[in-house]
Amino acid sequence: MLADYFSLEFEMIGDCLHLTGLPLLLDDFCPWFGGLPVYIVRLATEVDWDNERLCFDTFAKETAAFYSVKEKKGAQPRFDTGQHGGDMVDWKYTIEHVVYPAVKKTLVPPSACLTDRTLLQVASLPDLYKVFERC
């Protein structure tokens, strides 16, 4: 079930259980693996494995927390963009060049988001062109 629904894979090597696969949320974005032990512990303790609906909900919350960029007081957020290569990149660069393009490409909000003001249009590119044409 873990591999089919969540892409979380474990494999028995000898008599030890090894983690062999993690969910891939975004191409070119790999979370900081220093948080992996906490993620595994929280999956074991915080996910409700008995109720299917709560299982999906709590698993998604824990995975989101693992993948999120966390800023600790006095330290920069850490994550690995080199797919385990240890390349450290500024989090602002990653948000601008990885997260925003992915959101722009894949986000399809329901139409109710426009009527209940969840999403608000700030500017329209054609209207901006009209303003600058007058100058």
Side-chain angles (χ1 to χ4, degrees), residues 77-95:
R78 296 184 56 181
F79 49 89
D80 182 3
T81 59
Q83 295 297 324
H84 326 297
D87 298 335
M88 299 301 291
V89 176
D90 183 40
W91 68 272
K92 293 176 186 173
Y93 177 86
T94 300
I95 297 297

Side-chain angles (χ1 to χ4, degrees), residues 52-117:
E52 184 177 1
R53 183 179 219 73
L54 287 174
C55 175
F56 281 101
D57 185 53
T58 52
F59 186 92
K61 286 180 182 175
E62 293 305 325
T63 302
F66 174 57
Y67 273 83
S68 66
V69 177
K70 299 171 199 74
E71 191 165 356
K72 293 193 165 77
K73 190 173 185 175
Q76 284 283 0
R78 296 184 56 181
F79 49 89
D80 182 3
T81 59
Q83 295 297 324
H84 326 297
D87 298 335
M88 299 301 291
V89 176
D90 183 40
W91 68 272
K92 293 176 186 173
Y93 177 86
T94 300
I95 297 297
E96 181 180 348
H97 296 283
V98 176
V99 176
Y100 282 162
V103 169
K104 184 178 176 182
K105 180 178 167 185
T106 60
L107 178 66
V108 181
S111 58
C113 288
L114 296 174
T115 58
D116 67 2
R117 298 179 60 87

